Amino acid sequence: MLLPDKESITVAYAIDTGEVESFGKIGTTKTEIDRLCKRLKSKSARVRVVYEAGPCGYSLYRHLIDRGFDCMVCAPSLIPKKPGERVKTDRRDAVKLVRSLRAGDLSAVYVPGVEDEAFRDLARAWASTRDDLRQARQRLKSFLLAHDVRYTGRADWSEAHRRWLSSYSFANTWQQLAFEEHRRTIDDRLAQCLRLETALREAVVNWRFYPVVLALQAMRGVQFVTAIGMVSELGDLSRFTHPRQLMAWLGVTPSEHSSGNRRRQGSITKTGNSYARKLLVEAAWSYRHGARVARQIQVRHEGLPKAIIDRAWDAQLRLCQRYRKLVARGKNANIAVVAVARELAGFIWDIARLAMDLALPHDVQSA
């Protein structure tokens, strides 16, 4: 019924089985929204509200829920669309939402709690800063390569590499200034990363999904960065009643176009959360090698229940074998890893469920 944007909200409504009518546009202030709520309640005792998920977040959803409305945030990419439809306006979209809601054709978006969303914002800020740091380092490397300045060792930002960078200087004053600015950008991003990581490690202990973050780190390829990113994006995994639902939400299930007796499957759908899918696939690459419990994993196992450690070991045995079988059948390594990532999502779902059921103590420290 609502189509919110930055400056206005387009409204359409229908009473019972009557015709869909356009209400027009209103402002985005709470006063104008409350006035709309009163007018809608005067038309019917029970009001259902729906609007598209967008850049304005979930404040409107929470405001309507507080006012006693039955509200749903729907996924814009899953709204039915006619193939020949070429005219798009806010009014048409609002009317279409009402008709789709009546027909039951809309898919709801998971709305996190206020605390969960705040923690996710902090985790996303950390992820964005890490990306900025990576790009800043790449810019400096490109700058040095353009001027044929080469480091003889391994340019992996180790202590020796950073010491060489700090001692190098250009003969030209302008080039030296540009070089120093590139270095300062890296130092600033690195300090920002450390601040955010420290804040996350302090905050996660008081988060309700802290047991899940700890339990996921028992798995191979899932360290603190991956566990924090996955859980903050996924939220409450209990909303997935079956691991296949989580696989579909992550977009790692194969697409399909079947008709009659012919079944055709294509590449993965890549729907849902792209950042969580990226972390999942990165974790899946670690299962290319044989199953073993490295020293780093042993440290992360300390204080965890045996049931979670055993399930993580089952995942290693299963996924490492799965990768070898797929490669032996001639599958490309990238395709094999995505298949492993799909099954890894199932183990993540199971271990997260175990962690919440066992209620891990908060005195267990994350590695």
Side-chain angles (χ1 to χ4, degrees):
M1 294 173 63
L2 307 181
L3 199 68
D5 57 31
K6 185 173 66 173
E7 297 177 351
S8 64
I9 300 175
T10 305
V11 185
Y13 70 95
I15 301 175
D16 298 329
T17 58
E19 288 293 323
V20 180
E21 300 182 32
S22 176
F23 189 89
K25 289 188 176 183
I26 65 169
T28 58
T29 64
K30 289 186 177 181
T31 302
E32 291 175 287
I33 294 173
D34 288 340
R35 189 181 300 120
L36 171 67
C37 292
K38 289 181 181 179
R39 295 188 63 178
L40 291 176
K41 283 186 176 180
S42 66
K43 297 179 181 294
S44 176
R46 182 175 179 268
V47 181
R48 298 174 63 196
V49 183
V50 62
Y51 72 91
E52 292 183 14
C56 297
Y58 305 115
S59 59
L60 178 58
Y61 169 87
R62 297 189 178 109
H63 186 74
L64 292 172
I65 291 294
D66 291 340
R67 294 296 182 275
F69 285 87
D70 179 7
C71 184
M72 180 180 77
V73 184
C74 67
S77 60
L78 298 179
I79 296 175
K81 181 180 179 181
K82 296 178 182 179
E85 196 172 39
R86 292 293 181 270
V87 179
K88 184 184 185 305
T89 64
D90 289 345
R91 180 182 173 279
R92 282 173 175 255
D93 288 346
V95 171
K96 185 197 298 184
L97 278 178
V98 178
R99 291 172 178 165
S100 299
L101 180 63
R102 272 180 171 177
D105 293 335
L106 299 178
S107 300
V109 170
Y110 170 69
V111 179
V114 176
E115 184 185 59
D116 296 343
E117 187 178 20
F119 189 87
R120 187 182 66 180
D121 290 340
L122 184 61
R124 285 181 174 177
W126 186 35
S128 299
T129 305
R130 294 200 315 273
D131 288 339
D132 293 342
L133 175 61
R134 176 182 53 80
Q135 293 172 6
R137 286 174 169 175
Q138 184 59 45
R139 284 194 296 268
L140 177 57
K141 283 186 175 181
S142 300
F143 176 79
L144 294 176
L145 184 61
H147 295 88
D148 199 27
V149 178
R150 303 173 187 271
Y151 178 59
T152 55
R154 185 176 178 182
D156 56 357
W157 305 100
S158 61
E159 185 178 350
H161 182 212
R162 294 196 303 270
R163 189 165 53 247
W164 175 82
L165 286 172
S166 62
S167 63
Y168 189 85
S169 61
F170 286 85
N172 186 284
T173 304
W174 296 341
Q175 287 179 342
Q176 179 63 25
L177 179 60
F179 177 58
E180 291 294 338
E181 288 298 330
H182 281 303
R183 283 182 49 208
R184 288 191 60 177
T185 301
I186 292 174
D187 292 340
D188 291 343
R189 297 290 81 77
L190 186 59
Q192 190 177 11
C193 279
L194 293 175
R195 287 196 304 271
L196 287 170
E197 182 179 353
T198 301
L200 270 173
R201 289 187 181 275
E202 293 175 354
V204 72
V205 179
N206 300 315
W207 192 33
R208 65 178 179 133
F209 294 129
Y210 180 56
V212 180
V213 174
L214 286 177
L216 292 187
Q217 292 181 75
M219 305 182 71
R220 184 176 188 170
V222 183
Q223 299 181 9
F224 183 74
V225 173
T226 305
I228 284 288
M230 289 289 292
V231 180
S232 64
E233 295 295 333
L234 293 174
D236 189 2
L237 269 76
S238 64
R239 61 194 173 99
F240 302 106
T241 57
H242 195 278
R244 288 195 186 94
Q245 294 178 352
L246 175 59
M247 297 173 191
W249 188 88
L250 290 168
V252 291
T253 53
S255 57
E256 184 173 348
H257 185 79
S258 301
S259 179
N261 296 326
R262 185 179 62 178
R263 187 185 184 211
R264 297 178 60 184
Q265 287 186 314
S267 58
I268 59 174
T269 59
K270 292 186 178 180
T271 58
N273 193 294
S274 59
Y275 178 58
R277 182 171 60 253
K278 171 190 171 185
L279 292 175
L280 181 71
V281 174
E282 286 178 351
W285 276 103
S286 65
Y287 293 93
R288 293 174 297 162
H289 312 290
R292 61 185 291 265
V293 180
R295 174 60 184 163
Q296 296 88 342
I297 300 179
Q298 289 179 4
V299 172
R300 300 202 298 267
H301 282 178
E302 293 179 2
L304 294 179
K306 186 175 184 300
I308 291 177
I309 296 174
D310 291 344
R311 198 67 181 127
W313 176 244
D314 292 340
Q316 273 214 61
L317 294 176
R318 164 72 182 174
L319 299 179
C320 293
Q321 184 182 24
R322 175 73 169 156
Y323 177 83
R324 289 196 300 270
K325 282 185 176 180
L326 289 172
V327 172
R329 284 165 47 189
K331 294 291 185 181
N332 180 274
N334 293 325
I335 296 177
V337 166
V338 171
V340 169
R342 182 163 53 250
E343 295 196 19
L344 177 60
F347 282 104
I348 288 175
W349 177 86
D350 193 28
I351 289 178
R353 180 182 56 83
L354 274 175
M356 296 306 290
D357 290 344
L358 294 173
L360 295 180
H362 277 60
D363 57 355
V364 179
Q365 296 298 318
S366 61

